[in-house]
Amino acid sequence: MENDIFDFWKFLAGIGIFLWGMHQLENAIKELGGKSFRDLLQKSTNTSLKGILIGALITAVLQSSSLVTLMVLAFLGAGVITLRNSIGVILGANLGTTITAWIVATLGFKLSVAGFAMPFLGLGSLLFIFGSGRPILKNIGAFGMGFGFLFLGLDFMKTAIEAVADQVDLSTFQAYGLWVFLLLGIVVTALIQSSSAMVVIILSSINAGVIGLVEGAVLIIGANIGTTITVAIGSLGGSADKKRLALAHLLFNVITGVLVFVFIRQLVDITMSVFKITDPLMELVLLNTLINLLGILLFFPFIPRLEKWLQNRFISSEPAGVSRFIKNVSPEVPEIAISALEKDIQFAFDRTISFLGSVWKESEEKKNQVSIWRKILQQPVNLMEQYRQIKLLEDELTNYHIDLQEGNLSLQDAEKLTSLMLTLRTLVYAAKDLKDVMHNIKEMEEMEDPLTRKYHQLIKQYTFEQIQQIKRFLEAGQEVNEPDWIGKNAQKYNDWIADIYHEYKSHNQEFPISTMTNVLKQVISSLDNLSSAAIHYKMDRMKVIDK
């Protein structure tokens, strides 16, 4: 009689061990091949269809839709993948998660599960302990342990349910209709936060004869919906992109689930007659795959419209900050985070160049349109706001850089990160050099004496010429030579200084020569810093591409 008592703690331990095994398996595969899968996801998702296929493939191998979702969110935030194609990856990930059910149904109920798990646990734990100094061996050991724990947890759940199979009477539940099983699947999956674990519970129940095939299929539908509710709750405090993807995932599973639920008996009859499957476990995992496949076929034609609709949702949840890319990307994925940081450095170039140009041309454009007092009062505020935005951007990127350094970076990533921050600092120096003398530049513009106006115009013209050359250099292809702008700037500075002192003697000069030479010095320093940042950034990118 003892064996006929439901061992709740054994069942609960089974769920815990199974989830721990999935966690170990996920981490091991992520360490062993995470970068390769990220590269595959980045390079092979230029269409929605490819996104579905790659999402299904990567999720089937990694056995973690949450890990794939993290990758997709990172790529989406970094601007590497569009929302439309990321939706495709999420749909594919749903299909990929069904592989767990196939593995469990094929191996878990056909073999002695505990005996099957022991070699993986034994060898895996030894490799994990004695290979701690070798990351590859350690992760292979973690993989073996994860695989073993997964099946040991399955054995605990299966035997706990089998012990009371004959005592369970489902007639009470069936009297209320199949919607009770749908609700049960949703609630239990949301509580244990794993559709894979729920599928194992359902398979164990069918194997023990506790429930029938139709009830099991309805529980599967509930599990699919339940796992999206967990993701949706988790996205409540997240970014707009995270909420959009969570909503797309929720809509996919809810709409697909409701449609299939209405015709579930017919679908079960059709699959049994078409595929001639007699094993209820294999029939159930086939139904699980077909449900997700039908959902993909249903949603695929509407992905462009869904993307457009989602883009207009959660506008208020757009991350705060000056940056465009890093605020959408978690530092937990270093390669993608560095890519986002690189794009924001490009944005910093745009901001800095815009500020340098505004110092010279903004007041001139408004010279005849506003009073002198309004120019004096308003212009510095506008320019200082531009400079403040550059400094805010620097602060955001620097803080992000600090967060990234706390992660496990490769030597190449660490070098890349250091190089990007050097570029950023040099850019900010370029802005600061001109910010310090912009009031003097405005004074020069207001002067009436010919010498001051002449050099104001010469310096302004030279500045714009250099800025245009730098912009063309940054936009050029990879086959470019390193320009000698620093040497050119030094020669121009020396020539101007000599000319200024020579001409100053023969002119009635109102503007102080010390101020004029200081403006010249700061302008050349600003151009030197801008040039250095551009050359360093461009040449560093060319080295990475060559590798």
Side-chain angles (χ1 to χ4, degrees):
M1 288 295 290
E2 188 111 11
N3 291 332
D4 294 333
I5 298 174
F6 177 60
D7 193 338
F8 171 77
W9 293 114
K10 184 176 183 179
F11 179 75
L12 188 63
I15 295 176
I17 292 170
F18 181 87
L19 292 175
W20 176 251
M22 289 289 292
H23 177 72
Q24 287 292 99
L25 207 60
E26 173 188 325
N27 285 342
I29 297 175
K30 181 172 67 174
E31 291 297 324
L32 288 169
K35 188 177 187 302
S36 301
F37 287 118
R38 283 193 288 271
D39 291 341
L40 178 64
L41 185 62
Q42 178 180 355
K43 296 173 182 177
S44 306
T45 51
N46 55 333
T47 67
S48 298
L49 180 58
K50 285 184 179 179
I52 292 172
L53 296 175
I54 295 300
L57 173 65
I58 295 177
T59 308
V61 176
L62 293 181
Q63 286 299 293
S64 172
S65 59
S66 61
L67 179 58
V68 174
T69 302
L70 176 64
M71 290 185 195
V72 172
L73 283 170
F75 279 124
L76 180 61
V80 174
I81 182 175
T82 64
L83 179 60
R84 178 182 304 185
N85 298 339
S86 66
I87 293 171
V89 177
I90 294 299
L91 299 188
N94 264 36
L95 184 62
T97 54
T98 64
I99 297 298
T100 303
W102 283 101
I103 295 172
V104 170
T106 304
L107 299 176
F109 294 91
K110 311 299 180 185
L111 304 171
S112 173
V113 180
F116 181 75
M118 293 308 164
F120 288 97
L121 287 172
L123 294 174
S125 59
L126 289 174
L127 278 175
F128 186 82
I129 293 170
F130 293 109
S132 57
R134 298 183 179 182
I136 293 179
L137 286 179
K138 182 180 178 181
N139 286 313
I140 291 174
F143 177 87
M145 289 171 59
F147 205 70
F149 277 129
L150 188 147
F151 281 97
L152 185 63
L154 167 62
D155 184 65
F156 278 28
M157 286 187 278
K158 184 177 74 169
T159 53
I161 292 175
E162 285 174 347
V164 292
D166 296 335
Q167 302 176 29
V168 177
D169 183 10
L170 290 178
S171 59
T172 305
F173 293 106
Q174 290 171 335
Y176 293 103
L178 291 175
W179 67 268
V180 175
F181 294 94
L182 180 69
L183 185 61
L184 185 64
I186 294 172
V187 172
V188 175
T189 306
L191 289 175
I192 64 177
Q193 297 191 21
S194 173
S195 59
S196 297
M198 184 60 187
V199 168
V200 172
I201 294 172
I202 296 167
L203 289 172
S204 300
S205 301
I206 288 181
N207 184 63
V210 175
I211 58 175
L213 183 58
V214 174
E215 290 80 9
V218 173
L219 284 169
I220 287 283
I221 296 171
N224 289 339
I225 297 174
T227 191
T228 62
I229 290 176
T230 305
V231 174
I233 293 172
S235 71
L236 291 178
S239 65
D241 284 336
K242 188 172 184 180
K243 290 180 179 179
R244 287 167 188 146
L245 272 182
L247 179 57
H249 195 200
L250 180 65
L251 289 173
F252 171 76
N253 282 282
V254 169
I255 294 174
T256 302
V258 170
L259 288 176
V260 173
F261 176 72
V262 173
F263 303 101
I264 189 62
R265 295 188 186 278
Q266 293 86 338
L267 183 61
V268 170
D269 292 339
I270 291 172
T271 53
M272 290 187 73
S273 61
V274 170
F275 294 98
K276 309 294 183 184
I277 297 175
T278 56
D279 185 346
L281 299 182
M282 300 305 293
E283 170 71 9
L284 186 66
V285 295
L286 176 63
L287 279 169
N288 187 23
T289 302
L290 286 176
I291 288 168
N292 285 282
L293 190 58
L294 286 171
I296 290 172
L297 294 175
L298 177 68
F299 267 76
F300 182 74
F302 302 100
I303 288 179
R305 292 184 182 179
L306 180 60
E307 178 197 30
K308 187 175 180 181
W309 182 77
L310 288 171
Q311 289 285 18
N312 296 321
R313 307 276 82 77
F314 310 112
I315 303 293
S316 61
S317 297
E318 292 286 354
V322 182
S323 63
R324 288 184 174 178
F325 299 98
I326 61 165
K327 60 188 177 184
N328 296 313
V329 180
S330 169
E332 295 175 12
V333 192
E335 296 92 344
I336 309 172
I338 291 173
S339 175
L341 183 63
E342 187 174 17
K343 288 196 172 188
D344 268 324
I345 296 292
Q346 293 175 351
F347 179 49
F349 268 108
D350 295 338
R351 283 279 178 128
T352 303
I353 288 173
S354 175
F355 171 72
L356 299 184
S358 296
V359 170
W360 288 102
K361 70 182 181 182
E362 189 170 320
S363 64
E364 187 172 275
E365 291 174 353
K366 299 179 181 179
K367 187 175 181 181
N368 299 319
Q369 300 176 24
V370 295
S371 70
I372 186 170
W373 293 110
R374 190 171 179 184
K375 284 190 290 180
I376 292 172
L377 292 173
Q378 285 190 346
Q379 245 179 222
V381 174
N382 294 333
L383 292 172
M384 284 305 296
E385 177 59 23
Q386 287 188 45
Y387 180 72
R388 191 179 76 86
Q389 293 293 313
I390 293 171
K391 291 295 293 180
L392 287 174
L393 180 59
E394 180 193 22
D395 290 341
E396 283 185 39
L397 298 185
T398 302
N399 290 332
Y400 194 72
H401 161 248
I402 293 170
D403 291 340
L404 268 172
Q405 284 185 314
E406 294 177 357
N408 186 20
L409 295 176
S410 67
L411 179 61
Q412 183 180 351
D413 287 339
E415 290 175 350
K416 177 71 173 177
L417 190 58
T418 301
S419 178
L420 287 173
M421 296 311 295
L422 177 61
T423 299
L424 176 64
R425 283 194 295 272
T426 312
L427 270 177
V428 176
Y429 292 153
K432 185 180 185 305
D433 284 333
L434 211 60
K435 186 267 297 185
D436 290 342
V437 293
M438 64 186 187
H439 60 289
N440 297 131
I441 292 173
K442 301 309 175 187
E443 290 173 9
M444 287 179 68
E445 186 181 353
E446 299 297 331
M447 291 292 107
E448 297 297 331
D449 66 89
L451 186 61
T452 304
R453 295 184 67 82
K454 170 188 173 182
Y455 279 99
H456 177 273
Q457 189 62 32
L458 286 174
I459 299 170
K460 173 184 173 181
Q461 182 179 349
Y462 182 76
T463 299
F464 279 115
E465 287 174 357
Q466 290 302 102
I467 286 175
Q468 289 304 315
Q469 288 184 34
I470 291 170
K471 288 172 70 174
R472 287 195 294 268
F473 174 75
L474 289 171
E475 294 167 0
Q478 297 307 317
E479 298 300 323
V480 292
N481 297 319
E482 183 175 338
D484 185 24
W485 286 322
I486 308 297
K488 180 182 177 182
N489 291 342
Q491 184 62 50
K492 179 64 71 174
Y493 175 76
N494 291 331
D495 291 345
W496 275 340
I497 289 293
D499 291 344
I500 286 172
Y501 278 110
H502 177 74
E503 293 184 61
Y504 189 76
K505 297 176 183 178
S506 57
H507 283 76
N508 183 16
Q509 177 73 18
E510 295 180 17
F511 195 74
I513 189 171
S514 60
T515 305
M516 184 181 292
T517 54
N518 185 53
V519 168
L520 182 57
K521 173 179 171 294
Q522 290 295 104
V523 170
I524 293 299
S525 177
S526 176
L527 291 175
D528 281 348
N529 281 317
L530 184 63
S531 301
S532 296
I535 292 169
H536 180 79
Y537 179 76
K538 185 75 171 183
M539 294 301 157
D540 188 63
R541 290 196 71 190
M542 289 172 62
K543 288 178 186 175
V544 172
I545 291 173
D546 289 341
K547 289 179 182 178

